Protein backbone atom coordinates (compact mmCIF):
# COMPACT_ATOMS: atom_id res chain seq x y z
CA UNK A 1 0.00 0.00 0.00
CA UNK A 2 1.35 3.39 -0.99
CA UNK A 3 1.87 5.82 1.81
CA UNK A 4 0.82 9.38 1.20
CA UNK A 5 3.63 11.79 2.04
CA UNK A 6 2.51 15.17 3.28
CA UNK A 7 4.43 18.34 3.97
CA UNK A 8 4.35 19.93 7.36
CA UNK A 9 2.69 23.28 7.89
CA UNK A 10 6.10 24.65 8.81
CA UNK A 11 7.54 23.65 5.40
CA UNK A 12 4.53 24.95 3.47
CA UNK A 13 4.68 28.33 5.23
CA UNK A 14 8.43 28.54 4.63
CA UNK A 15 7.93 27.78 0.91
CA UNK A 16 5.27 30.50 0.54
CA UNK A 17 7.42 33.12 2.29
CA UNK A 18 10.46 32.26 0.17
CA UNK A 19 8.48 32.23 -3.08
CA UNK A 20 7.02 35.69 -2.39
CA UNK A 21 10.42 37.04 -1.35
CA UNK A 22 12.30 35.68 -4.39
CA UNK A 23 9.57 36.77 -6.83
CA UNK A 24 9.46 40.29 -5.39
CA UNK A 25 13.23 40.78 -5.44
CA UNK A 26 13.60 39.30 -8.94
CA UNK A 27 10.80 41.47 -10.31
CA UNK A 28 12.27 44.59 -8.72
CA UNK A 29 15.77 43.72 -9.95
CA UNK A 30 14.63 43.20 -13.57
CA UNK A 31 12.56 46.38 -13.55
CA UNK A 32 15.40 48.45 -12.08
CA UNK A 33 17.94 46.96 -14.52
CA UNK A 34 15.82 47.76 -17.59
CA UNK A 35 15.05 51.25 -16.29
CA UNK A 36 18.70 52.05 -15.57
CA UNK A 37 19.86 50.71 -18.93
CA UNK A 38 17.19 52.58 -20.92
CA UNK A 39 18.00 55.79 -19.06
CA UNK A 40 21.74 55.35 -19.66
CA UNK A 41 21.18 54.63 -23.37
CA UNK A 42 19.05 57.75 -23.79
CA UNK A 43 21.74 59.82 -22.06
CA UNK A 44 24.50 58.39 -24.30
CA UNK A 45 22.49 59.12 -27.46
CA UNK A 46 21.73 62.67 -26.31
CA UNK A 47 25.36 63.31 -25.38
CA UNK A 48 26.49 61.91 -28.75
CA UNK A 49 24.08 64.21 -30.58
CA UNK A 50 25.30 67.22 -28.60
CA UNK A 51 28.91 66.42 -29.43
CA UNK A 52 28.07 65.83 -33.09
CA UNK A 53 26.22 69.13 -33.36
CA UNK A 54 29.11 70.99 -31.72
CA UNK A 55 31.64 69.42 -34.11
CA UNK A 56 29.37 70.10 -37.09
CA UNK A 57 29.19 73.79 -36.14
CA UNK A 58 32.97 73.95 -35.78
CA UNK A 59 33.49 72.29 -39.17
CA UNK A 60 30.93 74.56 -40.81
CA UNK A 61 32.60 77.62 -39.26
CA UNK A 62 36.05 76.62 -40.56
CA UNK A 63 34.76 76.03 -44.11
CA UNK A 64 32.60 79.16 -44.14
CA UNK A 65 35.50 81.32 -42.97
CA UNK A 66 37.77 79.87 -45.64
CA UNK A 67 35.15 80.39 -48.34
CA UNK A 68 34.49 84.01 -47.30
CA UNK A 69 38.22 84.68 -47.46
CA UNK A 70 38.45 83.11 -50.92
CA UNK A 71 35.48 85.08 -52.29
CA UNK A 72 36.95 88.34 -51.02
CA UNK A 73 40.38 87.57 -52.49
CA UNK A 74 38.71 86.56 -55.76
CA UNK A 75 37.00 89.95 -55.94
CA UNK A 76 40.29 91.73 -55.26
CA UNK A 77 42.09 89.68 -57.91
CA UNK A 78 39.61 90.78 -60.58
CA UNK A 79 40.54 94.36 -59.74
CA UNK A 80 44.22 93.63 -60.08
CA UNK A 81 44.89 93.78 -56.33
CA UNK A 82 45.67 90.12 -55.83
CA UNK A 83 48.88 90.69 -53.86
CA UNK A 84 48.20 93.77 -51.76
CA UNK A 85 48.51 94.02 -47.98
CA UNK A 86 44.85 93.18 -47.43
CA UNK A 87 45.31 89.79 -49.12
CA UNK A 88 48.36 89.18 -46.96
CA UNK A 89 46.32 89.96 -43.83
CA UNK A 90 43.52 87.62 -44.92
CA UNK A 91 46.00 84.78 -45.39
CA UNK A 92 47.64 85.54 -42.06
CA UNK A 93 44.29 85.64 -40.21
CA UNK A 94 43.29 82.12 -41.31
CA UNK A 95 45.71 79.73 -39.60
CA UNK A 96 44.31 76.71 -41.50
CA UNK A 97 44.53 78.20 -44.99
CA UNK A 98 47.17 76.71 -47.29
CA UNK A 99 46.16 77.76 -50.79
CA UNK A 100 43.51 79.56 -52.79
CA UNK A 101 43.13 78.81 -56.48
CA UNK A 102 40.58 80.29 -58.89
CA UNK A 103 39.96 78.40 -62.11
CA UNK A 104 37.70 78.78 -65.14
CA UNK A 105 37.26 76.96 -68.45
CA UNK A 106 40.59 78.27 -69.70
CA UNK A 107 42.59 77.16 -66.67
CA UNK A 108 44.01 78.79 -63.53
CA UNK A 109 43.21 82.51 -63.26
CA UNK A 110 44.63 83.10 -59.81
CA UNK A 111 46.69 81.13 -57.31
CA UNK A 112 48.23 81.98 -53.98
CA UNK A 113 50.07 79.58 -51.69
CA UNK A 114 51.02 80.22 -48.07
CA UNK A 115 54.62 79.06 -48.29
CA UNK A 116 55.50 80.01 -44.71
CA UNK A 117 52.74 77.66 -43.52
CA UNK A 118 54.36 74.82 -45.48
CA UNK A 119 57.69 75.66 -43.86
CA UNK A 120 56.08 75.44 -40.42
CA UNK A 121 54.64 72.03 -41.33
CA UNK A 122 57.98 70.81 -42.65
CA UNK A 123 56.73 70.23 -46.21
CA UNK A 124 58.51 71.56 -49.27
CA UNK A 125 56.62 73.48 -51.95
CA UNK A 126 57.54 70.91 -54.59
CA UNK A 127 56.19 68.08 -52.43
CA UNK A 128 52.99 70.03 -51.77
CA UNK A 129 52.47 70.82 -55.47
CA UNK A 130 52.87 67.12 -56.30
CA UNK A 131 50.28 66.28 -53.67
CA UNK A 132 47.75 68.92 -54.79
CA UNK A 133 48.20 67.94 -58.44
CA UNK A 134 46.63 64.57 -57.62
CA UNK A 135 43.40 66.27 -56.58
CA UNK A 136 40.35 65.30 -58.63
CA UNK A 137 38.80 68.75 -58.34
CA UNK A 138 38.37 70.49 -61.69
CA UNK A 139 36.15 73.22 -63.10
CA UNK A 140 33.42 70.94 -64.52
CA UNK A 141 33.19 68.79 -61.39
CA UNK A 142 32.84 71.82 -59.12
CA UNK A 143 30.34 73.49 -61.48
CA UNK A 144 28.14 70.39 -61.59
CA UNK A 145 28.34 69.76 -57.85
CA UNK A 146 28.20 73.42 -56.76
CA UNK A 147 30.15 72.55 -53.57
CA UNK A 148 32.65 69.72 -53.16
CA UNK A 149 34.79 68.74 -50.18
CA UNK A 150 37.68 66.41 -50.96
CA UNK A 151 40.30 64.62 -48.90
CA UNK A 152 43.56 65.56 -50.65
CA UNK A 153 45.79 63.78 -48.12
CA UNK A 154 48.21 61.03 -49.07
CA UNK A 155 50.08 58.26 -47.27
CA UNK A 156 53.71 59.22 -46.81
CA UNK A 157 52.93 62.91 -46.29
CA UNK A 158 52.03 63.53 -42.66
CA UNK A 159 49.52 66.27 -43.39
CA UNK A 160 45.72 66.12 -43.46
CA UNK A 161 44.68 68.37 -46.36
CA UNK A 162 41.07 69.12 -47.20
CA UNK A 163 40.12 70.79 -50.48
CA UNK A 164 36.90 72.79 -50.76
CA UNK A 165 35.64 73.57 -54.25
CA UNK A 166 32.82 76.12 -54.67
CA UNK A 167 31.25 77.31 -57.91
CA UNK A 168 30.95 81.08 -58.42
CA UNK A 169 27.92 81.32 -60.67
CA UNK A 170 28.15 85.10 -61.15
CA UNK A 171 31.67 84.98 -62.59
CA UNK A 172 31.47 81.41 -63.94
CA UNK A 173 34.54 80.42 -61.94
CA UNK A 174 35.44 77.72 -59.46
CA UNK A 175 37.19 78.59 -56.22
CA UNK A 176 39.41 75.89 -54.70
CA UNK A 177 40.53 76.29 -51.10
CA UNK A 178 43.04 73.94 -49.52
CA UNK A 179 43.10 73.72 -45.74
CA UNK A 180 45.28 72.10 -43.11
CA UNK A 181 42.71 70.16 -41.07
CA UNK A 182 45.08 69.28 -38.20
CA UNK A 183 43.46 71.74 -35.78
CA UNK A 184 39.96 70.48 -36.52
CA UNK A 185 41.11 66.87 -36.20
CA UNK A 186 42.36 67.75 -32.70
CA UNK A 187 38.89 69.08 -31.87
CA UNK A 188 37.38 65.77 -32.96
CA UNK A 189 39.57 63.79 -30.55
CA UNK A 190 37.61 62.37 -27.60
CA UNK A 191 38.40 59.89 -24.82
CA UNK A 192 34.86 58.49 -24.78
CA UNK A 193 33.29 58.91 -28.24
CA UNK A 194 34.84 57.97 -31.58
CA UNK A 195 34.14 60.95 -33.84
CA UNK A 196 34.56 60.98 -37.60
CA UNK A 197 33.62 63.11 -40.61
CA UNK A 198 32.94 61.93 -44.16
CA UNK A 199 31.81 63.58 -47.41
CA UNK A 200 29.01 62.75 -49.85
CA UNK A 201 31.30 60.27 -51.61
CA UNK A 202 31.75 58.33 -48.38
CA UNK A 203 35.43 59.30 -48.07
CA UNK A 204 36.61 59.91 -44.50
CA UNK A 205 37.99 63.40 -43.87
CA UNK A 206 38.44 63.00 -40.12
CA UNK A 207 38.87 59.78 -38.15
CA UNK A 208 40.53 58.77 -34.84
CA UNK A 209 43.17 56.94 -36.89
CA UNK A 210 45.27 59.37 -38.93
CA UNK A 211 46.41 56.55 -41.23
CA UNK A 212 42.78 56.13 -42.34
CA UNK A 213 42.62 59.84 -43.20
CA UNK A 214 45.89 59.77 -45.14
CA UNK A 215 44.80 56.61 -47.00
CA UNK A 216 41.46 58.28 -47.88
CA UNK A 217 39.48 55.29 -46.66
CA UNK A 218 35.73 55.05 -47.33
CA UNK A 219 32.73 54.36 -45.05
CA UNK A 220 30.86 52.57 -47.84
CA UNK A 221 31.48 49.26 -46.08
CA UNK A 222 29.07 50.36 -43.36
CA UNK A 223 25.43 50.03 -44.41
CA UNK A 224 24.34 52.61 -41.84
CA UNK A 225 26.92 55.22 -42.90
CA UNK A 226 26.12 54.52 -46.55
CA UNK A 227 22.42 55.15 -45.89
CA UNK A 228 23.27 58.66 -44.64
CA UNK A 229 24.94 59.71 -47.91
CA UNK A 230 22.51 61.92 -49.79
CA UNK A 231 19.98 61.64 -46.97
CA UNK A 232 17.91 64.68 -46.00
CA UNK A 233 18.05 63.73 -42.31
CA UNK A 234 19.67 66.45 -40.22
CA UNK A 235 20.48 64.34 -37.17
CA UNK A 236 19.52 61.10 -35.46
CA UNK A 237 20.62 58.08 -33.43
CA UNK A 238 20.77 54.34 -34.00
CA UNK A 239 22.23 51.12 -32.62
CA UNK A 240 24.67 49.80 -35.22
CA UNK A 241 26.10 46.28 -35.32
CA UNK A 242 29.56 46.05 -36.92
CA UNK A 243 30.83 43.18 -39.05
CA UNK A 244 32.70 41.73 -36.06
CA UNK A 245 29.42 41.56 -34.11
CA UNK A 246 30.19 44.46 -31.77
CA UNK A 247 27.34 46.89 -31.13
CA UNK A 248 27.78 50.66 -31.19
CA UNK A 249 25.49 53.47 -30.09
CA UNK A 250 25.79 55.92 -32.97
CA UNK A 251 24.67 59.53 -33.37
CA UNK A 252 24.94 61.51 -36.61
CA UNK A 253 24.69 65.16 -37.61
CA UNK A 254 24.78 66.33 -41.22
CA UNK A 255 26.27 69.53 -42.65
CA UNK A 256 24.05 69.59 -45.71
CA UNK A 257 25.51 72.77 -47.19
CA UNK A 258 28.82 70.97 -47.74
CA UNK A 259 27.52 67.41 -48.06
CA UNK A 260 29.29 66.28 -44.88
CA UNK A 261 28.24 64.03 -42.00
CA UNK A 262 29.60 63.85 -38.45
CA UNK A 263 29.43 60.47 -36.69
CA UNK A 264 29.81 60.09 -32.93
CA UNK A 265 29.80 56.51 -31.70
CA UNK A 266 30.67 54.47 -28.63
CA UNK A 267 30.99 50.73 -28.07
CA UNK A 268 28.00 49.41 -26.09
CA UNK A 269 30.25 47.29 -23.89
CA UNK A 270 32.18 50.41 -22.92
CA UNK A 271 29.06 52.55 -22.62
CA UNK A 272 27.35 50.14 -20.23
CA UNK A 273 30.49 49.06 -18.37
CA UNK A 274 29.65 51.05 -15.24
CA UNK A 275 25.98 50.13 -15.22
CA UNK A 276 26.76 46.43 -15.79
CA UNK A 277 29.05 46.54 -12.76
CA UNK A 278 26.27 48.20 -10.77
CA UNK A 279 23.79 45.55 -11.88
CA UNK A 280 26.22 42.76 -10.92
CA UNK A 281 26.67 44.25 -7.46
CA UNK A 282 22.90 44.66 -7.20
CA UNK A 283 22.56 40.95 -8.04
CA UNK A 284 24.92 40.03 -5.21
CA UNK A 285 22.95 42.31 -2.92
CA UNK A 286 19.72 40.60 -4.00
CA UNK A 287 21.23 37.19 -3.18
CA UNK A 288 22.22 38.52 0.22
CA UNK A 289 18.66 39.70 0.81
CA UNK A 290 17.30 36.30 -0.24
CA UNK A 291 19.71 34.55 2.16
CA UNK A 292 18.64 36.81 4.99
CA UNK A 293 15.02 36.16 3.98
CA UNK A 294 15.56 32.38 4.06
CA UNK A 295 17.01 32.55 7.57
CA UNK A 296 14.24 34.89 8.68
CA UNK A 297 11.59 32.67 7.08
CA UNK A 298 12.88 29.60 8.97
CA UNK A 299 12.71 31.33 12.32
CA UNK A 300 9.34 32.89 11.49
CA UNK A 301 7.91 29.53 10.43
CA UNK A 302 9.05 27.90 13.66
CA UNK A 303 7.52 30.66 15.71
CA UNK A 304 4.19 30.67 13.84
CA UNK A 305 3.78 26.88 13.88
CA UNK A 306 4.84 26.37 17.49
CA UNK A 307 1.24 26.57 18.86
CA UNK A 308 0.07 24.09 16.20
CA UNK A 309 2.86 21.65 17.11
CA UNK A 310 1.86 21.84 20.78
Amino acid sequence: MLRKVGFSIKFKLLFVILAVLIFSITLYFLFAANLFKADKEAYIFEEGLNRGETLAKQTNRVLDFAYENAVFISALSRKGNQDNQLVQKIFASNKDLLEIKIINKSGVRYKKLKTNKLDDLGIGEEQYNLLSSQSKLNFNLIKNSNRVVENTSKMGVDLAIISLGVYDKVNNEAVIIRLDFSNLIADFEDKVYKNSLFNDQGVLLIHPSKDIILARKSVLGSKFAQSLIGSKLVSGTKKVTKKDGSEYLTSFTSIQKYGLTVLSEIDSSQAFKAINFLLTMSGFFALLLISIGVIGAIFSARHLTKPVGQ
Side-chain angles (χ1 to χ4, degrees):
M1 181 181 292
L2 293 174
R3 181 180 176 185
K4 187 176 181 181
V5 179
F7 293 100
S8 66
I9 296 176
K10 190 180 295 186
F11 182 84
K12 291 178 179 177
L13 188 58
L14 177 62
F15 178 78
V16 171
I17 294 173
L18 283 176
V20 172
L21 180 64
I22 293 172
F23 177 77
S24 300
I25 292 176
T26 303
L27 190 64
Y28 171 77
F29 182 75
L30 289 175
F31 175 76
N34 288 329
L35 186 63
F36 286 151
K37 198 164 187 177
D39 185 61
K40 178 70 173 178
E41 186 177 289
Y43 170 77
I44 291 170
F45 275 140
E46 183 179 1
E47 187 67 16
L49 273 178
N50 290 337
R51 288 171 189 249
E53 287 173 1
T54 300
L55 293 173
K57 288 178 181 177
Q58 286 178 259
T59 305
N60 192 69
R61 186 163 54 246
V62 169
L63 294 176
D64 278 351
F65 183 47
Y67 176 62
E68 288 167 6
N69 290 165
V71 168
F72 193 59
I73 290 174
S74 175
L76 290 173
S77 69
R78 282 193 295 275
K79 296 178 181 179
N81 299 320
Q82 61 265 30
D83 252 341
N84 64 13
Q85 290 184 351
L86 185 56
V87 172
Q88 300 295 339
K89 286 181 180 180
I90 291 172
F91 261 77
S93 67
N94 193 330
K95 59 184 179 180
D96 303 314
L97 189 60
L98 286 171
E99 179 188 12
I100 289 179
K101 182 188 290 185
I102 301 168
I103 58 177
N104 52 34
K105 289 181 179 179
S106 303
V108 179
R109 183 179 70 77
Y110 173 80
K111 177 182 177 180
K112 184 167 180 61
L113 178 64
K114 191 190 286 186
T115 53
N116 61 334
K117 174 74 173 179
L118 295 180
D119 293 337
D120 293 339
L121 294 169
I123 297 175
E125 187 173 344
E126 184 178 345
Q127 188 181 25
Y128 171 81
N129 288 333
L130 179 63
L131 182 64
S132 60
S133 67
Q134 297 174 1
S135 170
K136 295 180 180 179
L137 294 185
N138 56 58
F139 177 76
N140 289 327
L141 174 63
I142 297 172
K143 182 179 180 180
N144 294 332
S145 303
N146 194 36
R147 295 193 185 201
V148 185
V149 182
E150 176 197 71
N151 183 350
T152 317
S153 308
K154 183 185 177 183
M155 291 297 291
V157 181
D158 191 22
L159 177 62
I161 300 176
I162 300 300
S163 298
L164 168 63
V166 183
Y167 179 60
D168 180 0
K169 189 176 180 180
V170 176
N171 299 293
N172 193 29
E173 293 179 332
V175 180
I176 298 175
I177 308 140
R178 303 202 199 281
L179 301 165
D180 169 19
F181 247 33
S182 300
N183 292 310
L184 193 60
I185 288 172
D187 292 335
F188 269 66
E189 292 176 357
D190 197 299
K191 292 181 179 179
V192 179
Y193 289 83
K194 186 163 73 173
N195 302 309
S196 57
L197 176 74
F198 60 90
N199 63 13
D200 53 7
Q201 301 298 313
V203 178
L204 282 157
L205 308 176
I206 295 178
H207 189 271
S209 171
K210 195 167 185 179
D211 285 344
I212 288 179
I213 301 172
L214 298 178
R216 293 179 277 190
K217 291 287 183 69
S218 172
V219 297
L220 296 181
S222 166
K223 291 183 180 179
F224 174 66
Q226 191 173 357
S227 70
L228 297 176
I229 298 174
S231 171
K232 293 183 179 180
L233 295 173
V234 176
S235 62
T237 59
K238 189 175 181 179
K239 285 183 183 178
V240 178
T241 303
K242 305 283 185 177
K243 289 181 178 180
D244 60 2
S246 58
E247 185 181 71
Y248 279 77
L249 304 180
T250 306
S251 305
F252 69 90
T253 305
S254 67
I255 311 172
Q256 295 185 338
K257 179 166 61 174
Y258 293 107
L260 304 176
T261 303
V262 177
L263 280 185
S264 295
E265 53 186 8
I266 182 172
D267 193 326
S268 293
S269 60
Q270 181 185 351
F272 296 125
K273 187 176 182 180
I275 197 169
N276 286 336
F277 174 76
L278 178 63
L279 293 176
T280 302
M281 296 306 295
S282 298
F284 286 132
F285 182 67
L287 288 174
L288 178 63
L289 288 179
I290 291 173
S291 300
I292 294 172
V294 169
I295 296 171
I298 292 172
F299 282 104
S300 298
R302 285 180 179 176
H303 177 74
L304 291 173
T305 59
K306 189 174 182 181
V308 177
Q310 293 174 349

